[in-house]
Structures are given as structure tokens and as C-alpha cells.
């Protein structure tokens, strides 16, 4: 058996078939990437050979993207062309490195050697995507960052190994060329890269189809008003708690599920039965609940504010959705284009409602940025995070966001069972529960926030006392903490 370095295996050998040449280079590139024994003689070098590899690399990228995105993917030509842009970057850096090494003949060799590693890179990159983005192996942010660092270091080690196979480190310009190739890796890793195969813009295709149905549009017309008309009138001489909940992001069921559970919990334990309403954006509730738009939220707040006794009753507003760094709450229901809600808009809605006593709970990233605009002496404001932090648990597979679970499903439920009904105590308990969960997962603390007006402290004491008094007159139904979805019903 002949040795791989024998002349018959050299790059000058004429192959009978282009496929043999491609397979040979891909095998050699895979050995290079996996740090298996390989030499320059394992590669077949030339313009045609690199062109074959370039076409093969594009096909590999397209296949990997399709497998990551799924069968519902659509090809986006612009993103596909962006991938091709990596090829001239590779050629440019290889050309400059060859000139630095003072050997122009190394240009096609470097290009072929590095281009031949694309199959291994695509496989490893896809595995990282599945592990981190698809949560095959739950990792804290520090662990995810470590994986990316190791990936980049591995890529740099490969390009340095390729250069070392061609010239010794003592060669003129070797270290400069190595720096150039390492910079190439960093550039390719951090350049924006869109998947050439992408799912349609709507996260909920079913919602799109459903929302366009005539019977749905007809049912939604006037639904909010019908729900508001069913609300019970306040009881004279004693404080009543009215609840308005909104789950305005249709892209995943988490917000809908937790709102349904929380509404049921408050109806049963905090005496809001007949005095609660839910606005939901999701395909499953288009014929059951008013959709959550800024206009519907404004109308609901306004009409409840007119109904209640402003001196006696308390309005509780709960919104669970995605939040942005510029402090905007997401309202989405494709194909409708809904207006998001910022702190100024929400403050105006609440002021226009006429409600004096308010409990406001916002479960969203960066929701602490709403406190300054909403605070007054007659309000309790609770947010899942501060103005600069993310909150957690809004994955599509979750039934609760972390803060909502801690505050409502655990702490506030415990308060009701103990007969205390304290929102302030529930917040302190929830804050600690969330902090413990984030620490265990290695996440940056979300730092939930609270504002309580001086006058509101006394009002909450009166509300809690009334809830305690009413609880003694009835036996509240037990709702097991671990059986939320079975007990919660959509409105």
C-alpha cells in the first residue's frame, strides 16, 4: 500500500471524476478540522477544485439551515446571497496571508484547505444551535458563552493548523499571517448571518388564518362590550377588587395560559368573581375572549373606572407579554398590526380611567422602566424586572413566566391559604423565589421592582381586612399548585 505522501497521491494527480476530487478534499478537510493526521498532499489543489468546494459549501449551508428551521421554512434569496459573501472573505484573507508569507502559490492551497472544513463546521454549528437555541441541553448564560468561546477557539486552532502544515512558525511573516487568519475567523463568526431558510414572518400561522375568518371578525365585534356589561356592580360601603388582565402577545401560549390560571385564582381566592375580565391574543381564544389591543385595553380601563366607586374600590391591572429595552410592551396578533404600549401611553390610559386606587403588575422584560411614569400615592406597582434587566420563563413550552409563577401561583396563593392576603408580603416572597431560581440557573438577576404609595398602604390594609372577613364566610376551593392547567379555564 502506498503512503499518502507518495507522488501518486500528490495534488498533481489527474482524477477521473470531479466527485472523487471533491470527496478527497472534504475528507482531508474533515481530518484537518478534527485534528487527525493530515498533510498538504492529502488535498487536491487548483481553481476548479476550490470552485467545487465553494459550491459544495453553499449546498452544505443551505441544507444545514433547512434542517435547523424545519419543513415549514421558506427560502429567502437575500439571506442565501449573504452566505455566499463568506467566500470572497475567505479568498481575500488567504491571498493576503500568502503575500505576507511571500509565497503566492500558498493562496489556492490555503483556500482549498480551509474551504474543505466547511462540512465539519456546519455540523458542529448546528449541534450548538440545537443544544443552546432549542434547549436540548439547558445551559445557563455562562455555560452558553463558554460554548461559543470554545467554538471560536477551535476554529482559530484549525486555521493555524492549516498554516502550520504549509510553513514552519519560523518562516518569514508566519506570525503575521497567523494573526490575519485568526482575524478572519473572528470576522466570520461575528458577521450578521441570517438563515437562508426561514419560517414565515408570523409566529402563529394558525392565528393568521383564524383572524381572517368572517365569523371570527363578527364575533369579536362588540365582544369586549358584552364582557364589560356582565361585570357585577360594586358593593356599597366596602372595597371591591376589580381585575383586568391582558396577554397581548399571540406568538406563544405561555402568556395566555398563565393569565387564565391567574384570573381563576383571583376569582376564587381574592373575590374578583364576576368582577374580572381577560384580554387575550391567541388563536385558541379568538371566539372566547376579547383580543388585547391598546384600544380594547383603554376601553376596558375606562369603563371599569366609570363603574367602580373611586373612593372605595381597587382596580388591579395585570399585563404579561414581551418587553423591550426601550420600555415597550409587545401587542401582537398577526395579521393585525397592533400598537405597542409604552409607559406614557399606559399612564394616560390609567389616568383617563378615573380609577383612584390601583394595583399594577407587569410581567415583562425591562418592565421596571414603567414605574416612574405610573407611580403615585394611590398605586401599588410591581414589575418582573428592573428597567435594564430581562425576566425569564416566557419560552413557548412554559405554562408560567418565572415571576408570575412566583408571585401569583406560589406567594399570593400561600397568602390566601394563610388568610393574610398581603400583596406586599407576596412580592417579597416572590422576589426571593425568583432570585433563587435565577442563581441556580446561572442567570443574571432580573431584580423585580415595587412601588407603594403612602396612601395605598392604608388602602391595601382595608382591602386585605375585607378579604379576610369574606373568606371566613365561605370555604374557598382548593386549586393544587401542580395542577394549574387542568384547573384553569379560558374565559
Amino acid at each position: 500500500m502506498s503512503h499518502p505522501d507518495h507522488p501518486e497521491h500528490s495534488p498533481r494527480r489527474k482524477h477521473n471524476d470531479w466527485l472523487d476530487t471533491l470527496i478527497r478534499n472534504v475528507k482531508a478537510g474533515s481530518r484537518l478540522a478534527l485534528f487527525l493526521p493530515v498533510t498538504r498532499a492529502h488535498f487536491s489543489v487548483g481553481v476548479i477544485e476550490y470552485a467545487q468546494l465553494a459550491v459544495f459549501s453553499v449546498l452544505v449551508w443551505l441544507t444545514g439551515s433547512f434542517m435547523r428551521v424545519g419543513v415549514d421554512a421558506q427560502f429567502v434569496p437575500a439571506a442565501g446571497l449573504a452566505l455566499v459573501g463568506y467566500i470572497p472573505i475567505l479568498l481575500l484573507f488567504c491571498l493576503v496571508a500568502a503575500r505576507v508569507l511571500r509565497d503566492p502559490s500558498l493562496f489556492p492551497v490555503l483556500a482549498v484547505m480551509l474551504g474543505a472544513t466547511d462540512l465539519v463546521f456546519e455540523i458542529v454549528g448546528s449541534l450548538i444551535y440545537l443544544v443552546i437555541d432549542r434547549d436540548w441541553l439547558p445551559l445557563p448564560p455562562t455555560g452558553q458563552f463558554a460554548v461559543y468561546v470554545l467554538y471560536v477557539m477551535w476554529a482559530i486552532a484549525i486555521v493555524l493548523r492549516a498554516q502550520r502544515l504549509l510553513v514552519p512558525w519560523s518562516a518569514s511573516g508566519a506570525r503575521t499571517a497567523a494573526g490575519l487568519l485568526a482575524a478572519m475567523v473572528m470576522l466570520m463568526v461575528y458577521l450578521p448571518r441570517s438563515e437562508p431558510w426561514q419560517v414565515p414572518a408570523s409566529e402563529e400561522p394558525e392565528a393568521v388564518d383564524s383572524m381572517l375568518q368572517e365569523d371570527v371578525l363578527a364575533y369579536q365585534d362588540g365582544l369586549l362590550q358584552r364582557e364589560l356589561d356582565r361585570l357585577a356592580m360594586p358593593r356599597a360601603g366596602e372595597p371591591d377588587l376589580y381585575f383586568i388582565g391582558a396577554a397581548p402577545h399571540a406568538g406563544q401560549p405561555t402568556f395566555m395560559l398563565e393569565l387564565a390560571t391567574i384570573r381563576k385564582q383571583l376569582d376564587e381566592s381574592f373575590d374578583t368573581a364576576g368582577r374580572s375580565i381577560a384580554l387575550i391574543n391567541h388563536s385558541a381564544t379568538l371566539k372566547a375572549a376579547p383580543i388585547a389591543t391598546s384600544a380594547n385595553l383603554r376601553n376596558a380601563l375606562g369603563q371599569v373606572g366609570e363603574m367602580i366607586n373611586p373612593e372605595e374600590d381597587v382596580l388591579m391591572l395585570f399585563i404579561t407579554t414581551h418587553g423591550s429595552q426601550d420600555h415597550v410592551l409587545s401587542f401582537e396578533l398577526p395579521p393585525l398590526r397592533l400598537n405597542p404600549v409604552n409607559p406614557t401611553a399606559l399612564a394616560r390610559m390609567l389616568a383617563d380611567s378615573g380609577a383612584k386606587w390601583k394595583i399594577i403588575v407587569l410581567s415583562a422584560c425591562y418592565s421596571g422602566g414603567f414605574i416612574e411614569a405610573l407611580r403615585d400615592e394611590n398605586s401599588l406597582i410591581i414589575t418582573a424586572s428592573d428597567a435594564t434587566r430581562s425576566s425569564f420563563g416566557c419560552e413557548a413550552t412554559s405554562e408560567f413566566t418565572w415571576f408570575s409563577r412566583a408571585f401569583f401561583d406560589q406567594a399570593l396563593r400561600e397568602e390566601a391559604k394563610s388568610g393574610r392576603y398581603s400583596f406586599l408580603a407576596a412580592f417579597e416572597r416572590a422576589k426571593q423565589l425568583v432570585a433563587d431560581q435565577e442563581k441556580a440557573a446561572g442567570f443574571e438577576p432580573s431584580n423585580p421592582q415595587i412601588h407603594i404609595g403612602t396612601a395605598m398602604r392604608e388602602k391595601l390594609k382595608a382591602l386585605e381586612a375585607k378579604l379576610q372577613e369574606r373568606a371566613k364566610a365561605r370555604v374557598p376551593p382548593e386549586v393544587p399548585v401542580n395542577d394549574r392547567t387542568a384547573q384553569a379555564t379560558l374565559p
Side-chain angles (χ1 to χ4, degrees), residues 54-65:
V55 173
F56 177 73
S57 295
V58 172
L59 294 176
V60 166
W61 296 337
L62 291 174
T63 302
S65 175

Side-chain angles (χ1 to χ4, degrees), residues 97 99-102 163 167-180:
R99 288 185 175 273
V100 169
L101 293 169
R102 300 180 182 179
Q163 177 184 315
V167 296
W169 288 118
S170 58
S172 175
R175 289 178 173 78
T176 302
L180 283 169

Side-chain angles (χ1 to χ4, degrees), residues 348-382:
R348 174 53 58 189
M349 291 180 195
L350 290 166
D352 291 345
S353 73
K356 179 179 179 180
W357 306 105
K358 300 175 290 292
I359 299 173
I360 304 164
V361 183
L362 303 179
S363 180
C365 295
Y366 312 104
S367 49
F370 280 73
I371 290 180
E372 191 60 35
L374 304 180
R375 62 189 299 165
D376 60 35
E377 288 301 303
N378 304 317
S379 295
L380 167 64
I381 306 169
I382 292 173

Side-chain angles (χ1 to χ4, degrees), residues 31 72 93 115 177 223 296 400 409 485:
R31 296 180 69 86
D72 294 327
F93 273 88
L223 176 58
N296 274 359
F400 256 105
D409 196 44
T485 54

Side-chain angles (χ1 to χ4, degrees), residues 71-385:
V71 295
D72 294 327
Q74 295 179 356
F75 181 67
V76 180
L81 290 175
L83 282 180
V84 180
Y86 285 78
I87 295 174
I89 293 176
L90 173 66
L91 294 175
L92 176 62
F93 273 88
C94 289
L95 176 62
V96 175
R99 288 185 175 273
V100 169
L101 293 169
R102 300 180 182 179
D103 187 354
S105 66
L106 294 178
F107 165 51
V109 185
L110 268 174
V112 167
M113 293 176 72
L114 298 182
T117 63
D118 282 340
L119 177 61
V120 176
F121 271 108
E122 189 65 24
I123 293 174
V124 174
S126 295
L127 288 175
I128 292 175
Y129 168 80
L130 293 172
V131 167
I132 295 178
D133 292 64
R134 291 293 182 87
D135 291 328
W136 278 19
L137 178 63
L139 292 175
T142 52
Q144 296 177 12
F145 178 73
V147 171
Y148 286 125
V149 169
L150 290 173
Y151 178 75
V152 174
M153 292 176 62
W154 170 62
I156 292 175
I158 290 171
V159 298
L160 296 184
R161 185 187 186 207
Q163 177 184 315
R164 178 64 182 84
L165 292 175
L166 301 178
V167 296
W169 288 118
S170 58
S172 175
R175 289 178 173 78
T176 302
L180 283 169
L181 294 176
M184 176 191 71
V185 171
M186 299 296 291
L187 177 63
M188 288 185 168
V189 168
Y190 289 103
L191 273 177
R193 174 176 171 176
S194 299
E195 294 283 8
W197 290 94
Q198 299 178 12
V199 294
S202 168
E203 295 181 46
E204 279 284 324
E206 183 183 353
V208 174
D209 295 338
S210 300
M211 196 62 214
L212 293 176
Q213 293 177 5
E214 184 175 351
D215 59 333
V216 171
L217 295 174
Y219 192 84
Q220 279 291 329
D221 184 27
L223 176 58
L224 174 61
Q225 190 59 53
R226 293 194 295 272
E227 292 294 313
L228 289 169
D229 290 342
R230 294 192 183 104
L231 293 179
M233 297 299 294
R235 287 164 282 201
E238 56 185 85
D240 277 313
L241 181 64
Y242 281 77
F243 174 78
I244 297 177
H249 190 88
Q252 54 205 88
T254 305
F255 307 118
M256 169 192 66
L257 291 173
E258 77 171 33
L259 175 55
T261 303
I262 290 168
R263 182 189 184 187
K264 183 177 179 65
Q265 174 189 346
L266 294 177
D267 283 353
E268 294 175 343
S269 300
F270 283 76
D271 203 28
T272 61
R275 296 176 174 84
S276 66
I277 187 170
L279 312 178
I280 301 176
N281 288 346
H282 196 272
S283 59
T285 62
L286 289 175
K287 293 185 178 181
I291 61 175
T293 67
S294 59
N296 274 359
L297 180 59
R298 182 184 302 107
N299 290 338
L301 288 170
Q303 293 198 43
V304 172
E306 290 179 1
M307 175 189 299
I308 64 177
N309 185 324
E311 296 300 326
E312 293 182 351
D313 301 323
V314 179
L315 170 63
M316 182 174 185
L317 172 63
F318 170 63
I319 303 178
T320 175
T321 185
H322 290 302
S324 65
Q325 289 180 310
D326 54 349
H327 308 136
V328 172
L329 298 178
S330 174
F331 280 58
E332 291 191 11
L333 180 61
L336 302 181
R337 294 185 179 181
L338 305 183
N339 295 324
V341 171
N342 60 29
T344 302
L346 186 56
R348 174 53 58 189
M349 291 180 195
L350 290 166
D352 291 345
S353 73
K356 179 179 179 180
W357 306 105
K358 300 175 290 292
I359 299 173
I360 304 164
V361 183
L362 303 179
S363 180
C365 295
Y366 312 104
S367 49
F370 280 73
I371 290 180
E372 191 60 35
L374 304 180
R375 62 189 299 165
D376 60 35
E377 288 301 303
N378 304 317
S379 295
L380 167 64
I381 306 169
I382 292 173
T383 64
S385 66

